[in-house]
Amino acid sequence: TEIDYLHKFIELNYTVVPFVKKEKVPRDTFRDAYNTFLKSKGLPMNKATDVKFTRDIKKYSIGVKESHGKTFYTGLVPKEELDEDDE
């Protein structure tokens, strides 16, 4: 199912740090990257409403923060920002 792909996308690209509000990704940036990922797998784009998509995101211990009319997903650290020592 699509949620499995969402989980895979998160695992490949981010380290989830629950409850860390300063680590955040704009919702639209995240969704664009996710749709690019789906397209690369030959899958249809995610057409869920923002509300439904955000509800799905919360299942993975990812927070949601609204600020100045924008929505951010919190607790996501892009993997390329992590130390190379982790390998």
Side-chain angles (χ1 to χ4, degrees):
T1 66
E2 194 167 293
I3 289 174
D4 294 333
Y5 283 108
L6 180 57
H7 188 234
K8 185 137 195 75
F9 172 76
I10 292 166
E11 280 189 331
L12 284 171
N13 294 286
Y14 297 96
T15 297
V16 177
V17 285
F19 314 114
V20 180
K21 297 272 188 246
K22 70 180 178 58
E23 299 292 352
K24 63 183 192 252
V25 178
R27 178 194 64 211
D28 296 347
T29 301
F30 183 93
R31 289 199 72 173
D32 288 348
Y34 179 53
N35 277 323
T36 299
F37 168 78
L38 289 175
K39 193 174 170 187
S40 77
K41 301 266 180 229
L43 297 162
M45 281 179 56
N46 178 285
K47 296 209 183 326
T49 64
D50 286 337
V51 171
K52 182 184 181 327
F53 190 79
T54 297
R55 197 167 45 231
D56 290 344
I57 274 288
K58 289 178 179 176
K59 294 175 188 168
Y60 302 105
S61 302
I62 294 167
V64 178
K65 178 176 174 19
E66 306 270 340
S67 179
H68 303 290
K70 288 194 165 84
T71 301
F72 295 90
Y73 295 145
T74 63
L76 287 172
V77 182
K79 289 219 168 151
E80 68 268 13
E81 289 181 13
L82 291 175
D83 272 339
E84 303 302 313
D85 303 343
D86 291 347
E87 292 176 15

